[in-house]
């Protein structure tokens, strides 16, 4: 198992606090799983085409929300 460092954008907490409670829980759980093992199978990372860095990915939180992250 490989652990990952977690860094958040300056606007993350403001945006997070505006999410419905159900999505907040899903974001928290997804973030914790990613931090514990960023290479875990079953996490469907998709390339984020507008990003300058080729390591930037998005991952589905639910049908309406996606999280943007850098995959190690």
């Amino acid at each position: 198992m490989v652990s990952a460092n977690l860094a958040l954008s300056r606007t993350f907490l403001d945006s997070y606090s505006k999410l419905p409670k159900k999505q907040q829980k899903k974001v928290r759980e997804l973030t914790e799983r990613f931090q514990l093992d960023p290479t875990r199978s079953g996490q469907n990372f998709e390339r984020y085409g507008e990003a300058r860095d080729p390591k930037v990915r998005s991952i589905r939180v639910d049908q309406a929300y996606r999280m943007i992250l850098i995959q190690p």
Side-chain angles (χ1 to χ4, degrees), residues 14-63:
D14 288 335
S15 298
Y16 177 81
S17 68
K18 294 175 186 173
L19 289 173
K21 294 292 182 193
K22 185 177 180 180
Q23 280 73 24
Q24 285 183 4
K25 180 180 178 186
K26 289 180 179 183
V27 167
R28 187 184 71 247
E29 291 169 349
L30 183 59
T31 302
E32 289 169 356
R33 284 195 310 267
F34 177 75
Q35 189 175 13
L36 287 174
D37 187 1
T39 62
R40 176 182 169 179
S41 63
Q43 297 183 113
N44 188 20
F45 297 104
E46 296 180 18
R47 289 190 185 269
Y48 185 65
E50 298 177 25
R52 293 180 188 170
D53 187 333
K55 295 181 289 185
V56 174
R57 302 284 190 269
S58 71
I59 189 167
R60 186 171 301 284
V61 174
D62 64 14
Q63 289 297 90

Side-chain angles (χ1 to χ4, degrees), residues 8-18:
L8 306 172
S9 70
R10 284 187 290 211
T11 60
F12 176 80
L13 292 177
D14 288 335
S15 298
Y16 177 81
S17 68
K18 294 175 186 173

